[in-house]
Structures are given as C-alpha cells and as structure tokens.
Amino acid sequence: MKIGILGLGLIGGSLGLDLRSQGHHLLGVSRRESTCQKALDIGSVDQASVDLKFLASADVIFICTPIGLIVPQVEQLMVYLPMKAIITDVGSVKAPIVEAVSPLWQNFIGGHPMAGNTDVGIEAAQRNLFVNRPYVLTPIETTPNRAITILEEIVRSLGSIIYHCQPEKHDRAVSWISHLPVMISASLTATCLSETDPEIFQLAQNLASSGFRDTSRVGAGNPELGVMMAQYNHQALLHSLQQYRQNLDEFIDLIEQEKWQILEDKLKLNQQQRPNFL
Ligand code: NAP
C-alpha cells in the first residue's frame, strides 16, 4: 500500500519507520528540505518532498503536523487527492479537528496514538514507538466501513491497542491523563524555580533524582504541543485543572490541620488506584 505522511517529526517519522519495515511504500512530505533528507537517511520514507502534491498517489495519508496545522493542511491537500483516499491525523485533540474535517472529506478518521516522548523532530523518530500503546480512532456515523477497516489494519500492524470513541469523549479523557499532567508537571518545575536562596536552589538541583525526573518529565516536552493542547482542548483542560486545584487545596488543608490519618487514607487510596490507569 502507498502510505503518505505529512509532517516528518517524532510521530510522523516513527510511523514511517514501522510502516516501511512492513513493506508499505512510504511517501513523506515535510516543511523543510533538511527534514525530508533526514527522513530518507534514517529509512523512515522511500521518497520525500516539501510539495503537498507529492502525496497525490497515496492510498492512506497520516497528517502528523502540529495540531493547529492539521485542518488547514487537509484543506490544502484535498484538491490533489482522489475521493477514495483515506485521511487520518494523529493530533492529541480530536473534537475540533473531526468537526472541521468530516464535512470536507468523507474518508477521514480522526486518530491519536497514545505514545510519544519529550523530544521533537525527525531526530527523535524511533522504531516500535506504538507497540502495546493505545491508539484511539474516532470515526463518526457516516465514516465508510471500508476506510475504518483499512486504517484499523494499519494501526493493528503497529502493535497498538485500538480504541474507538467519540471525539468529545476522547478529549475529556485525555484531558485527565495527558493534558492535565503536562500542566501540573510544568507548574512543578516552575514552582521549584521560585526558591530564592541560591544555596538551597543549587542543593535542590544537585539532589534531584528519580522522583523529580518522573514528575517533571511531561512538563518539559515540546512547548508548542503543550500550548496547542490547552488551546484546542480548552474546556476539558480547564475543568481538570479546576478539579486538580480543589484537590491540592484539600491536601493543603489536611497538612495545615495536621490531619495525618486522613492524609494517609488519601495516599493509600491513590496507591491502590494508580495501577488501574497504567
Ligand atoms: P514534531 O516532532 O515537532 O513534528 C512535527 C513535524 O511537522 C515537524 O517535524 C515539522 O517538520 C512538520 N511541520 C511543521 N509545519 C509543517 C508544515 N507547514 N508542513 C509540513 N510539515 C510541517 O511533533 P510531534 O510530537 O511529532 O507531533 C506531531 C503531531 O502528533 C501533533 O499533532 C501532536 O498532537 C501529535 N502527537 C504527539 C505526541 C507526542 O508525545 N509528541 C503523541 C501523540 C500525538 P519540519 O522539520 O520539516 O519543519
């Protein structure tokens, strides 16, 4: 099958590596010539170009650009494609994208691989990034079955675990487990930066170890992606953040009032519940 990838970064480049190794013919398009060349060098695509027209012969196209560019890119790409071409995207937010693209292209299915890391660009592309990871598909009532079946086959071949859900439900769910953690983690590091005593500040940096590494990691990723999560999943993220603030206040109250038993009960509950998310 001819598979097109638009946006050869971490996700697009990684998809290319896995799909190409399965014998598909990969066509890549990216903004910069240098990125196209790197994608060719690492074997992520068979052919690459900076020209959108280059994807005209692809059977399935993955749009892997930053969230805010997905809808405009589909609008530009459409004019070159036959109607049977299947378009999907990998954006971390689904409702605004599905809402805008579905009326334009019948064979469109929103998608979101729940995999990634804090690095960006084609240099960060890696094999097997999607193995055993959830991959959400958000077809709507009018999405043709043929398109769903073809895309599911490709996603399954990545080793991913497929979930179907409505775009709005996806956005609410990822707001809890993906977008909220980015904001919490970022505010953790920002809070540590507020230490005014240089000696304590230096000591804290020297002593930071695995706990700080785990909790600060997701907030130190691609800033552009973080902003777009907030921009395009505005309502759900605000709701999660407000709920989080309420929980934080409860912890502050318990500590201020030295209610150690209640604090322990809360921590025990979290200890029990965390595995259900992982
Ligand atoms: P990334 O590494 O920054 O890659 C995005 C790529 O898009 C860049 O390499 C850039 O290529 C290309 N691009 C930018 N503007 C373009 C344009 N106008 N035309 C063509 N290509 C353009 O970002 P990413 O992490 O792969 O994220 C891409 C998408 O995946 C986003 O929609 C994000 O929501 C989603 N996603 C990300 C993660 C994650 O953890 N990172 C996880 C799941 C889904 P050049 O190098 O040529 O400029």
Side-chain angles (χ1 to χ4, degrees), residues 143-193:
T143 312
N145 281 335
R146 170 190 161 270
I148 301 173
T149 308
I150 291 174
L151 184 59
E152 277 185 347
E153 209 170 296
I154 295 173
V155 169
R156 207 170 288 119
S157 77
L158 296 169
S160 303
I161 304 153
I162 299 175
Y163 288 88
H164 279 219
C165 70
Q166 290 167 358
E168 299 74 19
K169 291 188 178 169
H170 162 276
D171 292 355
R172 284 172 57 191
V174 296
S175 135
W176 290 120
I177 51 79
S178 176
H179 303 174
L180 176 65
V182 167
M183 301 305 153
I184 294 172
S185 171
S187 58
L188 166 72
T189 305
T191 309
C192 294
L193 292 175

Side-chain angles (χ1 to χ4, degrees), residues 3-246:
I3 298 182
I5 296 185
L6 174 56
L8 296 167
L10 165 67
I11 299 295
S14 302
L15 275 172
L17 285 172
D18 287 354
L19 296 175
R20 191 163 172 262
S21 70
Q22 289 169 25
H24 296 293
H25 187 81
L26 265 290
L27 302 173
V29 167
S30 213
R31 179 177 46 181
R32 289 177 290 174
E33 291 274 7
S34 57
T35 300
C36 294
Q37 190 52 53
K38 279 180 205 150
L40 286 165
D41 293 345
I42 65 165
S44 172
V45 291
D46 293 280
Q47 294 169 277
S49 168
V50 291
D51 186 355
L52 268 182
K53 276 204 281 298
F54 193 68
L55 298 175
S57 63
D59 304 298
V60 178
I61 295 155
F62 286 79
I63 315 273
C64 303
T65 56
I67 299 170
L69 289 175
I70 293 173
V71 176
Q73 294 280 14
V74 172
E75 286 168 343
Q76 287 175 39
L77 180 65
M78 275 167 46
V79 296
Y80 304 115
L81 299 181
M83 275 170 66
K84 66 175 179 12
I86 298 167
I87 304 179
T88 184
D89 76 301
V90 297
S92 309
V93 176
K94 295 275 58 86
I97 292 171
V98 175
E99 219 166 90
V101 176
S102 295
L104 305 176
W105 200 258
Q106 202 188 18
N107 284 306
F108 171 77
I109 303 170
H112 182 200
M114 302 300 301
N117 61 47
T118 47
D119 297 328
V120 292
I122 189 67
E123 296 79 8
Q126 61 184 84
R127 288 180 197 281
N128 299 321
L129 183 66
F130 311 100
V131 174
N132 290 328
R133 299 304 174 124
Y135 197 121
V136 186
L137 296 178
T138 63
I140 58 169
E141 269 177 28
T142 52
T143 312
N145 281 335
R146 170 190 161 270
I148 301 173
T149 308
I150 291 174
L151 184 59
E152 277 185 347
E153 209 170 296
I154 295 173
V155 169
R156 207 170 288 119
S157 77
L158 296 169
S160 303
I161 304 153
I162 299 175
Y163 288 88
H164 279 219
C165 70
Q166 290 167 358
E168 299 74 19
K169 291 188 178 169
H170 162 276
D171 292 355
R172 284 172 57 191
V174 296
S175 135
W176 290 120
I177 51 79
S178 176
H179 303 174
L180 176 65
V182 167
M183 301 305 153
I184 294 172
S185 171
S187 58
L188 166 72
T189 305
T191 309
C192 294
L193 292 175
S194 67
E195 172 58 58
T196 50
D197 182 330
E199 195 187 340
I200 302 296
F201 186 66
Q202 185 60 58
L203 191 58
Q205 287 188 333
N206 293 345
L207 300 185
S209 187
S210 51
F212 186 78
R213 185 179 299 115
D214 291 346
T215 50
S216 62
R217 184 180 66 82
V218 293
N222 180 0
E224 188 186 25
L225 178 56
V227 171
M228 289 197 187
M229 285 170 174
Q231 208 177 338
Y232 290 89
N233 201 13
H234 194 224
Q235 283 310 324
L237 179 58
L238 273 181
H239 174 71
S240 307
L241 277 166
Q242 276 149 6
Q243 205 62 40
Y244 176 70
R245 183 159 61 189
Q246 201 173 311

